[in-house]
Amino acid sequence: MIQLTESLIMALIAAVIATIFIVPLSKKTSDGEMTNQQLIKSVIFVLAAGFILIFAMIYITKVDLHWTVLAFALPVFALLGTLISKGVEQTFKGFVLLASLLFLAYMISAPLFNADEKYESAKMEEKVEIEPFDETKTPASVPPRFAENKMKKAFGQVPNTSYYELGNLQIQKVNNEYVYIAPVEFSGFFKWFNGKTTPGYFTMSATDSTDNPKFVKSEMAYVPSAFLNENLERHMRLQNPTLIFYGEPQLEIDEDGKPYYIRSYGKFISARNGFDAKGIVMVDPENGNTDVLTLDEVPAFIDGAVSPESVSLQNSYFGKYVHGFWNSVFGKKDVKLPSDEGTEANVSPVFNENGEMYYFTDFTSPKEGVDSMLGYSLTNARSGEATYYTGNLEESYMDSQGALAIIEKKFIEKEWQGEMPILYNFYGEASWLAPVLDSNGFLQNYFIVSAANPEISAFGTTPNEALKQYNTALNRGGGTVDGTSRAEIATVSGDVVRVYKERVGDNTVVSFLLNTGQNFTVSSQNAPLAIYLQEGDRVAVTYFVTGELFLPVKEIAIEGIAGQE
């Protein structure tokens, strides 16, 4: 009963308010004057019935009891009181009814006038381009659908398999490794009644597609698929009746493998409309112990304190309400729409070089038939702070849907499709990386395509192999493989042993072997005098240490060639 205390008190307060408005305390009714005994009976009946009905509503619907909910309940209470009472009390309750109706109208019409507040709550810092990706590392690029398929095939590891089913996947960093976490959930009421607890969760690498799912035993009683008081959302609500939740509960694992469920809470922007995340409710699913934490207090092991649903909502505020509500409906000046290609509530979790999780979203034009990207955002999954990247304004970037369309056309005969497109800065080029899956959801390869030059693309069986192929494609296509790469820069001098030149479009790609045993490749767009390179030349090369067979050249100096800086 301890967990019900606050909800019971809130239900009692609401029942008292209902009683005050419904029961004619002056004892004057439309049927005549009440006796003291009738008044007492009416108070007791309305108070008891109101308490039962209100608590039942809280218990069944899990609705919050934030004070703004009175906007919907008060008109009903006041109307009944106005109809039943007489005289001065009826007049007073009539005024309350009118005021409550005006207040309800204000609450319902909030989206018409709070667009500026929503935009301010979602306003982002603006930059041009994201930091270059370190090509020596592997991005977290295993698609969730593929991971989910592998986990389902490994479901035989779960004891009493028929009782359970796989829950929703959540990507997370655990012990410096990026992994997918998926809880085991009950498959129905009778399975919950007989099973009592779920046995644990699955984990699988988010960077290595060859990794096999592992089942981790960890009994959980308070889960989303449980019923009655052990239903996770109801458990959170009964202990926190006034909190505003937004988004689904998600499972997070600490460094010791201990699971916790979290859910974002926050505040309305104004009236009973909009949402701004302020913290989390964290539940130990083994025993139901609950903590309410602000975003500043969230433990370090939790990556996704801000729910993807609330980030998606903030993205829509930022894109739609730049010039207010009416502009989002009619003129649509500067309006940009967030993509719906994300893997979680229209956003995709990604990790930066420091292991911090962000939610990625690209924005496109509201005009139909346009696949040009207007920009993209990264939102810190722990703090909710977001940055909007405009991209190189001198170039037109293709959006995520355009990238997926290219992949679909590339593999049209095999009916393969791309999934989870993420924009990276590869070798200084804004590039889309997307896993490619067959019709059965099995991973086939990784595809990379330039956002500014869609004709430049490559694919490989692993992200790193695709990166190597993409590097070659960039050189051949005259891409911007330059100093914005995150790979380490080194220099070497030596004699040219072999040279191979290939004409690609308006440029020449020069590949050469030094007597040091290293192979290099450079485009004449980046080093115009490289077209004069021949066997026996003495050269000084500045290059990127990417670990590839043909190392990309940043600068080259050919001994005896004039005009070099």
Side-chain angles (χ1 to χ4, degrees):
M1 283 294 293
I2 296 177
Q3 63 174 283
L4 301 178
T5 301
E6 192 173 349
S7 294
L8 290 170
I9 292 173
M10 295 300 297
L12 181 60
I13 292 173
V16 170
I17 294 173
T19 302
I20 292 173
F21 278 98
I22 295 174
V23 176
L25 301 179
S26 65
K27 298 192 283 189
K28 295 181 180 179
T29 70
S30 56
D31 295 330
E33 190 165 341
M34 299 172 64
T35 64
N36 289 334
Q37 188 176 12
Q38 288 175 322
L39 176 61
I40 293 172
K41 287 182 178 179
S42 297
V43 169
I44 294 173
F45 175 78
V46 174
L47 183 63
F51 175 77
I52 293 172
L53 290 174
I54 292 169
F55 182 75
M57 179 192 69
I58 299 171
Y59 193 84
I60 296 171
T61 66
K62 307 164 196 167
V63 67
D64 67 90
L65 283 183
H66 187 266
W67 69 268
T68 51
V69 80
L70 286 174
F72 301 93
L74 195 57
V76 177
F77 300 158
L79 176 61
L80 292 174
T82 302
L83 294 175
I84 296 172
S85 60
K86 283 292 183 181
V88 176
E89 187 175 2
Q90 184 182 47
T91 303
F92 171 75
K93 291 179 179 178
F95 279 119
V96 173
L97 174 61
L98 178 60
S100 64
L101 288 174
L102 292 174
F103 183 58
L104 179 60
Y106 161 76
M107 300 289 281
I108 294 175
S109 62
L112 301 179
F113 58 78
N114 68 0
D116 290 338
E117 292 178 77
K118 289 178 178 176
Y119 179 74
E120 286 300 318
S121 74
K123 206 166 183 179
M124 305 180 187
E125 179 186 0
E126 291 198 8
K127 293 183 179 179
V128 176
E129 203 74 86
I130 54 176
E131 292 293 321
F133 180 78
D134 186 347
E135 295 88 6
T136 62
K137 296 182 179 180
T138 302
S141 51
V142 174
R145 185 155 63 102
F146 173 70
E148 184 178 21
N149 283 344
K150 293 193 75 169
M151 288 180 181
K152 287 180 178 178
K153 291 184 180 300
F155 214 72
Q157 301 177 39
V158 179
N160 296 320
T161 306
S162 61
Y163 280 26
Y164 309 108
E165 61 187 12
L166 193 68
N168 295 327
L169 267 68
Q170 164 77 20
I171 194 170
Q172 192 183 346
K173 181 184 176 186
V174 180
N175 293 319
N176 293 319
E177 294 184 1
Y178 304 120
V179 296
Y180 280 113
I181 305 294
V184 172
E185 297 282 356
F186 294 110
S187 58
F189 175 80
F190 292 105
K191 303 300 174 61
W192 165 76
F193 186 79
N194 291 322
K196 305 301 181 185
T197 61
T198 58
Y201 59 89
F202 278 95
T203 179
M204 175 182 162
S205 173
T207 58
D208 182 7
S209 61
T210 64
D211 186 41
N212 291 317
K214 300 176 183 65
F215 176 70
V216 180
K217 292 182 179 180
S218 182
E219 287 195 358
M220 295 181 275
Y222 295 85
V223 295
S225 57
F227 291 83
L228 302 180
N229 287 5
E230 292 184 354
N231 174 267
L232 180 68
E233 291 185 38
R234 178 170 292 115
H235 179 74
M236 290 180 171
R237 171 56 66 209
L238 292 178
Q239 296 198 66
N240 305 281
T242 61
L243 285 185
I244 312 302
F245 292 116
Y246 196 84
E248 297 297 319
Q250 297 201 25
L251 191 68
E252 294 268 353
I253 308 300
D254 69 13
E255 303 305 320
D256 297 322
K258 167 71 176 174
Y260 293 89
Y261 270 104
I262 67 167
R263 194 179 187 191
S264 296
Y265 77 85
K267 67 174 185 176
F268 295 121
I269 298 297
S270 64
R272 194 176 171 83
N273 184 258
F275 181 80
D276 189 16
K278 294 299 179 183
I280 65 166
V281 171
M282 183 172 71
V283 175
D284 183 335
E286 182 181 5
N287 53 35
N289 290 343
T290 303
D291 291 310
V292 179
L293 306 168
T294 64
L295 291 179
D296 293 335
E297 299 170 333
V298 171
F301 73 85
I302 292 179
D303 294 305
V306 181
S307 69
E309 291 89 348
S310 63
V311 172
S312 184
L313 191 66
Q314 294 290 309
N315 285 336
S316 69
Y317 295 161
F318 178 76
K320 288 173 59 179
Y321 300 135
V322 59
H323 297 305
F325 174 80
W326 296 112
N327 178 72
S328 70
V329 177
F330 297 108
K332 297 187 177 181
K333 178 184 177 182
D334 297 327
V335 167
K336 41 192 174 285
L337 301 180
S339 165
D340 60 358
E341 298 296 341
T343 58
E344 294 184 24
N346 298 331
V347 297
S348 294
V350 295
F351 291 86
N352 68 4
E353 65 275 10
N354 298 320
E356 298 170 322
M357 192 168 88
Y358 286 78
Y359 292 115
F360 168 83
T361 308
D362 65 301
F363 292 77
T364 189
S365 170
K367 186 175 181 180
E368 292 187 11
V370 177
D371 63 0
S372 178
M373 184 177 68
L374 300 180
Y376 53 101
S377 69
L378 287 173
T379 303
N380 189 294
R382 281 177 57 87
S383 67
E385 295 178 359
T387 302
Y388 179 75
Y389 298 88
T390 61
N392 189 340
L393 298 177
E394 296 179 359
E395 297 180 330
S396 178
Y397 285 177
M398 170 180 60
D399 65 12
S400 56
Q401 292 184 347
L404 294 179
I406 287 178
I407 295 173
E408 184 176 359
K409 291 177 183 178
K410 181 74 175 180
F411 304 104
I412 190 169
E413 293 183 359
K414 296 181 179 180
E415 297 183 348
W416 293 354
Q417 293 185 333
E419 189 173 288
M420 196 178 75
I422 303 292
L423 192 72
Y424 288 92
N425 185 342
F426 289 142
Y427 305 108
E429 185 90 0
S431 312
W432 288 105
L433 168 65
V436 179
L437 284 74
D438 62 21
S439 57
N440 295 316
F442 291 104
L443 183 64
Q444 297 298 324
N445 61 48
Y446 292 89
F447 194 92
I448 305 176
V449 58
S450 168
N453 304 288
E455 67 278 2
I456 301 176
S457 64
F459 60 91
T461 55
T462 67
N464 294 103
E465 182 181 335
L467 270 173
K468 292 178 182 179
Q469 298 297 330
Y470 185 61
N471 178 22
T472 302
L474 280 173
N475 277 298
R476 291 181 176 178
T480 56
V481 181
D482 57 22
T484 57
S485 173
R486 286 297 300 276
E488 181 183 346
I489 296 175
T491 58
V492 66
S493 296
D495 297 324
V496 177
V497 179
R498 293 284 189 274
V499 179
Y500 177 76
K501 299 176 183 178
E502 180 183 8
R503 186 72 177 177
V504 178
D506 296 330
N507 302 299
T508 299
V509 176
V510 181
S511 302
F512 58 96
L513 169 66
L514 289 188
N515 62 348
T516 61
Q518 296 167 290
N519 297 283
F520 299 91
T521 182
V522 62
S523 171
S524 62
Q525 182 182 25
N526 300 325
L529 298 183
I531 60 173
Y532 298 126
L533 189 68
Q534 58 187 9
E535 294 176 9
D537 281 343
R538 183 74 179 175
V539 296
V541 179
T542 302
Y543 63 97
F544 298 107
V545 184
T546 62
E548 299 164 286
L549 178 61
F550 284 86
L551 299 168
V553 173
K554 180 184 179 185
E555 295 176 357
I556 181 172
I558 308 172
E559 189 175 302
I561 300 295
Q564 299 180 109
E565 295 183 359

